[in-house]
């Protein structure tokens, strides 16, 4: 099995565009379709032809270019079965625990409700890749537009079970704001403080903070650390459930 090649680029104001390419077959997938022109530019830059769009959820800033790209390339669009009615151009739907192949690479789907009711993440287990869109960000997680804190905590717990060396590509460049918030709820975390300083410097030079790794997120992302004794003590929630601690962190971020 060949290694996948990945092209990361900016779309819209703060979306990440991601292309994944199998050099042996020539198959190329876009993770979501935030905006047509940046995707076309990335394809041209790499000399690739789009064959698939892997849609994570129905929000407009993730599906806007679905129909235009489908018409141009006859690309196959795969997306969440529980949001099928809201996603333009779908050819195939898939739900929690479903598997399919992209150019011989196994893809496992996790349904991760919270940000939206039927959001899914795409995991390439053999390639150690996770495309988490608006469920898991670097040092953050998605706002709860359609789900509950308990649902999002369950969703994040699914992702936390994956290996630490999983490389994570996420949907938005929110990391600087996330870092500034994270240190307010986990102020004694030396690894977080070091990472926050690195992010400040990186973003000052317009550098991308994607991708990340699951292990790094487990050590520094407060939304994955609801069980941490230091965070609990800082929040005065030593006896709360993990889901309750997560809910408090999410509420604080919403008001940050």
């Amino acid at each position: 099995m060949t290694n996948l090649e990945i092209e990361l680029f900016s779309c819209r104001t703060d979306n990440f565009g991601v292309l994944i390419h199998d050099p042996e077959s020539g198959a190329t997938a876009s993770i979501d379709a935030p905006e047509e022109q940046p995707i076309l530019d990335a394809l041209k830059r790499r000399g690739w032809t789009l064959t698939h769009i892997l849609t994570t959820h129905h929000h407009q800033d993730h599906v806007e270019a679905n129909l235009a790209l489908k018409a141009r390339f006859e690309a196959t669009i795969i997306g969440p079965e529980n949001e099928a009615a809201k996603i333009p151009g779908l050819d195939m739907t898939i739900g929690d625990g479903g598997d399919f192949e992209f150019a011989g690479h196994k893809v496992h789907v996790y349904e991760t409700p919270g940000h939206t009711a039927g959001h899914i993440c795409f995991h390439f287990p053999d390639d150690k890749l996770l495309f988490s869109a608006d469920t898991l960000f670097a040092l953050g997680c998605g706002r709860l537009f359609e789900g509950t804190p308990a649902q999002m905590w369950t969703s994040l717990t699914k992702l936390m079970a994956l290996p630490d060396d999983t490389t994570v590509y996420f949907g938005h460049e929110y990391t600087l704001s996330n870092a500034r918030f994270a240190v307010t709820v986990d102020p004694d975390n030396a690894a977080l403080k070091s990472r926050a300083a690195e992010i400040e410097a990186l973003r000052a030079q317009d550098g991308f903070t994607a991708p990340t790794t699951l292990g790094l997120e487990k050590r520094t992302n407060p939304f994955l650390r609801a069980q941490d004794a230091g965070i609990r003590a800082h929040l005065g929630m030593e006896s709360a459930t993990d889901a309750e601690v997560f809910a408090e962190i999410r509420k604080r971020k919403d008001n940050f």
Side-chain angles (χ1 to χ4, degrees):
M1 185 175 64
T2 56
N3 290 328
L4 294 171
E5 299 176 15
I6 298 180
E7 180 76 2
L8 179 72
F9 51 96
S10 293
C11 290
R12 306 174 73 91
T13 55
D14 55 33
N15 282 68
F16 280 120
V18 182
L19 297 176
I20 55 176
H21 176 75
D22 177 71
E24 186 172 296
S25 67
T28 304
S30 179
I31 304 299
D32 290 323
E35 186 180 6
E36 183 184 16
Q37 194 59 53
I39 295 171
L40 295 177
D41 292 344
L43 290 165
K44 182 178 181 181
R45 186 163 60 242
R46 298 302 297 263
W48 298 343
T49 300
L50 190 70
T51 58
H52 295 77
I53 298 171
L54 306 185
T55 302
T56 61
H57 65 294
H58 69 84
H59 282 165
Q60 182 69 7
D61 64 323
H62 291 257
V63 303
E64 181 181 275
N66 271 20
L67 294 180
L69 292 171
K70 185 181 179 73
R72 182 184 290 266
F73 295 104
E74 298 183 354
T76 299
I77 303 180
I78 301 172
E81 65 181 16
N82 285 334
E83 295 185 4
K86 299 180 178 181
I87 295 172
L90 271 183
D91 297 293
M92 172 182 164
T93 61
I94 194 156
D96 189 44
D99 294 303
F100 64 96
E101 283 197 354
F102 169 74
H105 298 255
K106 179 182 176 181
V107 186
H108 184 79
V109 169
Y110 291 94
E111 190 173 66
T112 55
H115 181 66
T116 64
H119 192 297
I120 60 175
C121 297
F122 296 98
H123 180 224
F124 289 63
D126 298 329
D127 302 277
K128 298 183 178 181
L129 292 170
L130 175 68
F131 299 95
S132 62
D134 290 7
T135 294
L136 174 64
F137 297 126
L139 293 177
C141 75
R143 282 182 178 267
L144 307 181
F145 289 118
E146 298 177 11
T148 66
Q151 282 179 309
M152 182 61 108
W153 176 247
T154 298
S155 296
L156 293 172
T157 300
K158 288 182 186 180
L159 302 183
M160 281 190 278
L162 299 177
D164 283 4
D165 61 352
T166 302
T167 298
V168 183
Y169 287 86
F170 47 92
H172 292 271
E173 183 59 272
Y174 293 158
T175 312
L176 183 58
S177 173
N178 289 346
R180 291 172 176 171
F181 167 74
V183 296
T184 70
V185 293
D186 195 8
D188 300 320
N189 186 334
L192 170 59
K193 286 190 276 192
S194 175
R195 187 181 181 195
E198 292 172 1
I199 289 164
E200 291 276 356
L202 183 64
R203 291 302 297 146
Q205 300 179 29
D206 291 325
F208 290 166
T209 61
T212 183
T213 67
L214 203 53
L216 181 59
E217 294 311 310
K218 290 178 188 178
R219 294 190 297 274
T220 57
N221 186 335
F223 293 96
L224 303 187
R225 293 169 50 75
Q227 78 291 346
D228 182 76
I231 291 178
R232 286 167 165 266
H234 183 73
L235 298 178
M237 300 182 72
E238 291 91 337
S239 60
T241 67
D242 289 348
E244 287 168 342
V245 174
F246 168 80
E248 176 63 21
I249 296 170
R250 183 63 260 179
K251 184 174 74 173
R252 290 184 181 215
K253 180 62 168 69
D254 290 343
N255 297 312
F256 181 69

